[in-house]
Amino acid sequence: MTELLRTLNQFEIFIKNLNSSTLGFVPTMGNLHEGHMTLVKESLHNNETTVVSIFVNPKQFGPNEDYKKYPRSLGDDLKKLKKIHESSEFQDQKLVVFAPITTDEVFPTGFATTISVSGLSDKLCGLARPGHFAGVTTVVYRLFSLVRPQKAYFGQKDYQQYLVIKQMAEDLKLGIQLIPMPIIRDEDGLALSSRNQYLSTDERKTALLLPQTLDQLRKIIKEEMWEKAYLKVKTKIANILESNKTNINCNWDYLEILDALKLTDPDDESHTVVIAGALTVGKTRLIDNRIVEIRNV
Ligand code: AMP
């Protein structure tokens, strides 16, 4: 049976009494789709107990962002989780959903701590969304300290988020193994995201510019030797960003090619790069990326 816990007290009692050799954790903000479900299935496959948290974290939204309208659908989320859990594959595993009934369960009045990771948090999304990653690392640390899992599962759709949390876990020696999972996409190539439902039919077509552009840039790196490819990609990115001024339907917040581990400009030691983009279509900001190995020979 899938168990639902809604208060901190209930959850702490559950963890205290848990007698499981392996515990996997999947933190989410709910409105679950197949992207989330692959993380849940991977955890169920590899752990005796899986905790899924569903919590829309106010600390990671800026003052003019979509915290209030962020889609919340706990009933449907639970149905999806139960359906997977009850399939014959996972009958011996335990699945527990922690969906705090109020923000206070996680951040009670007087909560005054911020956890932040410098460097990695300051690039890409960190520039457009000041304080966003500190909000993410603070909630993830808080949840890690409650759940105390051996493994935690994160999607590469939010690649920078994964790197920032990995750095936090290593710096603070949390003893939690982070498992990155591939990006799940719709048939047309758009990465699944809870925010896709904000898009009108026309906007959704425009949004395909994001995965298609990343694919074109990836193709160049795959086909050409690195030095030539890098120059070509940088020129193409400059041209694309130049077109921002004339495009009224959508706007590139960033489009960059960086070393995939350090998020700095690629250098002689880089083996893998990330091509990362954030595109605002109408009022909806979408992110996506491609991780590509460099071809030197
Ligand atoms: P969120 O609910 O958006 O905070 O996401 C919770 C987790 O699901 C994060 O680790 C995300 O990276 C992951 N996730 C969201 N969308 C996708 C996707 N399309 N493919 C893979 N993982 C995803």
Short mmCIF file of all heavy atoms in Angstrom, two decimals, residues 27-30 33 35-36 38-39 60 70 153-158 161 181-185 191-194, ligand 1:
data_model
loop_
_atom_site.label_atom_id
_atom_site.label_comp_id
_atom_site.label_asym_id
_atom_site.label_seq_id
_atom_site.Cartn_x
_atom_site.Cartn_y
_atom_site.Cartn_z
N PRO A 27 12.85 13.86 -4.51
CA PRO A 27 12.17 15.13 -4.19
C PRO A 27 11.50 15.72 -5.43
O PRO A 27 12.12 15.78 -6.50
CB PRO A 27 13.31 16.04 -3.72
CG PRO A 27 14.58 15.40 -4.14
CD PRO A 27 14.31 14.00 -4.61
N THR A 28 10.25 16.16 -5.30
CA THR A 28 9.52 16.76 -6.43
C THR A 28 8.66 17.93 -5.93
O THR A 28 8.43 18.07 -4.73
CB THR A 28 8.55 15.78 -7.14
OG1 THR A 28 7.33 15.70 -6.39
CG2 THR A 28 9.14 14.40 -7.29
N MET A 29 8.16 18.70 -6.90
CA MET A 29 7.16 19.72 -6.57
C MET A 29 5.78 19.26 -7.05
O MET A 29 4.86 20.07 -7.16
CB MET A 29 7.54 21.06 -7.20
CG MET A 29 8.87 21.59 -6.65
SD MET A 29 9.02 23.37 -6.71
CE MET A 29 8.96 23.66 -8.45
N GLY A 30 5.64 17.97 -7.33
CA GLY A 30 4.33 17.44 -7.71
C GLY A 30 3.98 17.71 -9.16
O GLY A 30 4.85 18.01 -9.97
N HIS A 33 4.69 13.83 -13.90
CA HIS A 33 4.61 13.33 -15.28
C HIS A 33 5.64 12.23 -15.44
O HIS A 33 6.34 11.87 -14.47
CB HIS A 33 4.80 14.47 -16.28
CG HIS A 33 6.01 15.32 -16.02
ND1 HIS A 33 7.29 14.82 -16.07
CD2 HIS A 33 6.15 16.63 -15.68
CE1 HIS A 33 8.16 15.77 -15.80
NE2 HIS A 33 7.49 16.89 -15.54
N GLY A 35 8.53 12.16 -16.58
CA GLY A 35 9.89 12.53 -16.15
C GLY A 35 10.09 12.17 -14.68
O GLY A 35 11.08 11.54 -14.30
N HIS A 36 9.12 12.58 -13.84
CA HIS A 36 9.21 12.24 -12.41
C HIS A 36 9.13 10.72 -12.21
O HIS A 36 9.81 10.14 -11.38
CB HIS A 36 8.05 12.87 -11.64
CG HIS A 36 7.97 14.36 -11.69
ND1 HIS A 36 7.02 15.03 -12.42
CD2 HIS A 36 8.73 15.33 -11.11
CE1 HIS A 36 7.17 16.34 -12.27
NE2 HIS A 36 8.20 16.55 -11.49
N THR A 38 10.03 8.23 -14.01
CA THR A 38 11.24 7.42 -14.26
C THR A 38 12.16 7.45 -13.03
O THR A 38 12.81 6.46 -12.72
CB THR A 38 12.06 7.91 -15.48
OG1 THR A 38 12.31 9.29 -15.32
CG2 THR A 38 11.35 7.66 -16.78
N LEU A 39 12.16 8.58 -12.32
CA LEU A 39 12.99 8.66 -11.10
C LEU A 39 12.41 7.73 -10.04
O LEU A 39 13.13 7.00 -9.36
CB LEU A 39 13.04 10.08 -10.54
CG LEU A 39 13.35 11.28 -11.43
CD1 LEU A 39 13.53 12.54 -10.59
CD2 LEU A 39 14.59 11.07 -12.24
N GLN A 60 12.32 28.81 -3.63
CA GLN A 60 13.04 28.80 -4.90
C GLN A 60 12.37 29.63 -5.99
O GLN A 60 12.80 29.64 -7.13
CB GLN A 60 13.30 27.37 -5.36
CG GLN A 60 12.08 26.61 -5.83
CD GLN A 60 12.42 25.16 -6.08
OE1 GLN A 60 12.67 24.40 -5.15
NE2 GLN A 60 12.44 24.74 -7.35
N TYR A 70 1.65 27.82 -9.73
CA TYR A 70 2.33 26.55 -10.05
C TYR A 70 1.32 25.41 -9.90
O TYR A 70 0.61 25.32 -8.88
CB TYR A 70 3.53 26.32 -9.12
CG TYR A 70 4.43 25.22 -9.63
CD1 TYR A 70 5.43 25.49 -10.55
CD2 TYR A 70 4.25 23.91 -9.21
CE1 TYR A 70 6.24 24.47 -11.05
CE2 TYR A 70 5.05 22.89 -9.69
CZ TYR A 70 6.04 23.18 -10.60
OH TYR A 70 6.83 22.17 -11.10
N TYR A 153 17.45 10.75 -6.26
CA TYR A 153 17.31 10.69 -7.72
C TYR A 153 16.93 12.06 -8.26
O TYR A 153 15.97 12.68 -7.79
CB TYR A 153 16.27 9.63 -8.08
CG TYR A 153 16.71 8.25 -7.64
CD1 TYR A 153 16.57 7.85 -6.31
CD2 TYR A 153 17.32 7.38 -8.52
CE1 TYR A 153 17.01 6.60 -5.88
CE2 TYR A 153 17.78 6.14 -8.11
CZ TYR A 153 17.62 5.75 -6.79
OH TYR A 153 18.08 4.53 -6.37
N PHE A 154 17.68 12.53 -9.28
CA PHE A 154 17.43 13.84 -9.88
C PHE A 154 17.45 13.74 -11.39
O PHE A 154 18.24 12.96 -11.96
CB PHE A 154 18.51 14.85 -9.42
CG PHE A 154 18.40 15.19 -7.96
CD1 PHE A 154 19.07 14.42 -7.01
CD2 PHE A 154 17.60 16.24 -7.53
CE1 PHE A 154 18.96 14.71 -5.65
CE2 PHE A 154 17.48 16.53 -6.18
CZ PHE A 154 18.16 15.77 -5.24
N GLY A 155 16.61 14.53 -12.06
CA GLY A 155 16.55 14.51 -13.53
C GLY A 155 17.58 15.46 -14.13
O GLY A 155 17.83 16.54 -13.59
N GLN A 156 18.14 15.07 -15.25
CA GLN A 156 19.12 15.94 -15.92
C GLN A 156 18.45 17.08 -16.68
O GLN A 156 19.12 17.94 -17.23
CB GLN A 156 19.99 15.12 -16.88
CG GLN A 156 20.91 14.19 -16.11
CD GLN A 156 22.02 13.64 -16.97
OE1 GLN A 156 21.94 13.68 -18.18
NE2 GLN A 156 23.02 13.09 -16.34
N LYS A 157 17.13 17.08 -16.71
CA LYS A 157 16.42 18.23 -17.27
C LYS A 157 16.86 19.49 -16.52
O LYS A 157 17.04 20.54 -17.10
CB LYS A 157 14.92 17.98 -17.12
CG LYS A 157 14.09 19.21 -17.00
CD LYS A 157 13.30 19.48 -18.22
CE LYS A 157 12.40 20.65 -18.08
NZ LYS A 157 12.33 21.31 -16.80
N ASP A 158 17.02 19.35 -15.21
CA ASP A 158 17.51 20.46 -14.38
C ASP A 158 18.98 20.17 -14.08
O ASP A 158 19.35 19.91 -12.94
CB ASP A 158 16.68 20.55 -13.09
CG ASP A 158 15.22 20.75 -13.40
OD1 ASP A 158 14.81 21.89 -13.62
OD2 ASP A 158 14.47 19.74 -13.47
N GLN A 161 20.86 22.27 -11.51
CA GLN A 161 20.36 21.93 -10.17
C GLN A 161 21.05 20.66 -9.65
O GLN A 161 21.49 20.59 -8.50
CB GLN A 161 18.85 21.74 -10.23
CG GLN A 161 18.24 21.13 -8.99
CD GLN A 161 16.73 21.07 -9.07
OE1 GLN A 161 16.06 22.08 -8.93
NE2 GLN A 161 16.19 19.89 -9.32
N MET A 181 19.31 11.13 -13.77
CA MET A 181 18.47 10.35 -14.70
C MET A 181 18.23 11.14 -15.98
O MET A 181 18.12 12.37 -15.94
CB MET A 181 17.13 10.03 -14.03
CG MET A 181 17.24 9.14 -12.81
SD MET A 181 17.75 7.46 -13.24
CE MET A 181 16.34 6.91 -14.16
N PRO A 182 18.15 10.44 -17.12
CA PRO A 182 18.02 11.15 -18.41
C PRO A 182 16.73 11.96 -18.55
O PRO A 182 15.74 11.68 -17.88
CB PRO A 182 18.05 10.02 -19.45
CG PRO A 182 17.91 8.75 -18.70
CD PRO A 182 18.22 9.00 -17.27
N ILE A 183 16.77 12.92 -19.47
CA ILE A 183 15.61 13.79 -19.72
C ILE A 183 14.54 13.01 -20.47
O ILE A 183 14.83 12.37 -21.49
CB ILE A 183 16.02 15.02 -20.56
CG1 ILE A 183 17.12 15.80 -19.87
CG2 ILE A 183 14.81 15.90 -20.87
CD1 ILE A 183 17.67 16.98 -20.69
N ILE A 184 13.31 13.06 -20.00
CA ILE A 184 12.20 12.43 -20.71
C ILE A 184 11.47 13.51 -21.52
O ILE A 184 11.16 14.59 -21.01
CB ILE A 184 11.22 11.75 -19.72
CG1 ILE A 184 11.97 10.77 -18.80
CG2 ILE A 184 10.08 11.05 -20.45
CD1 ILE A 184 12.65 9.62 -19.49
N ARG A 185 11.21 13.17 -22.79
CA ARG A 185 10.64 14.15 -23.72
C ARG A 185 9.30 13.67 -24.27
O ARG A 185 9.04 12.48 -24.32
CB ARG A 185 11.59 14.36 -24.91
CG ARG A 185 12.90 14.87 -24.49
CD ARG A 185 13.92 14.96 -25.62
NE ARG A 185 15.14 15.49 -25.05
CZ ARG A 185 15.34 16.78 -24.80
NH1 ARG A 185 14.42 17.66 -25.17
NH2 ARG A 185 16.43 17.20 -24.21
N ALA A 191 11.00 18.71 -23.78
CA ALA A 191 11.22 18.03 -22.50
C ALA A 191 9.95 18.16 -21.65
O ALA A 191 9.35 19.24 -21.60
CB ALA A 191 12.40 18.66 -21.78
N LEU A 192 9.55 17.07 -21.00
CA LEU A 192 8.37 17.15 -20.14
C LEU A 192 8.64 18.12 -19.00
O LEU A 192 9.73 18.13 -18.43
CB LEU A 192 8.03 15.77 -19.57
CG LEU A 192 7.61 14.70 -20.56
CD1 LEU A 192 7.20 13.43 -19.82
CD2 LEU A 192 6.46 15.18 -21.43
N SER A 193 7.65 18.94 -18.69
CA SER A 193 7.77 19.90 -17.59
C SER A 193 6.37 20.27 -17.13
O SER A 193 5.45 20.38 -17.94
CB SER A 193 8.50 21.16 -18.08
OG SER A 193 8.28 22.23 -17.18
N SER A 194 6.24 20.49 -15.83
CA SER A 194 4.93 20.91 -15.31
C SER A 194 4.51 22.23 -15.94
O SER A 194 3.34 22.54 -16.05
CB SER A 194 5.00 21.07 -13.79
OG SER A 194 5.46 19.88 -13.22
P1 AMP B 1 10.25 19.27 -10.15
O1 AMP B 1 8.99 18.66 -9.67
O2 AMP B 1 10.10 20.05 -11.41
O3 AMP B 1 11.00 20.00 -9.06
O4 AMP B 1 11.19 18.05 -10.56
C1 AMP B 1 11.48 17.02 -9.66
C2 AMP B 1 12.54 16.14 -10.27
O5 AMP B 1 12.06 15.61 -11.50
C3 AMP B 1 13.84 16.89 -10.59
O6 AMP B 1 14.94 16.08 -10.26
C4 AMP B 1 13.72 17.13 -12.07
O7 AMP B 1 14.97 17.28 -12.72
C5 AMP B 1 13.02 15.85 -12.52
N1 AMP B 1 12.38 16.06 -13.82
C6 AMP B 1 11.47 17.00 -14.16
N2 AMP B 1 11.16 16.93 -15.47
C7 AMP B 1 11.91 15.91 -15.98
C8 AMP B 1 12.06 15.33 -17.28
N3 AMP B 1 11.38 15.79 -18.34
N4 AMP B 1 12.92 14.30 -17.42
C9 AMP B 1 13.62 13.83 -16.37
N5 AMP B 1 13.53 14.33 -15.12
C10 AMP B 1 12.69 15.36 -14.92
#
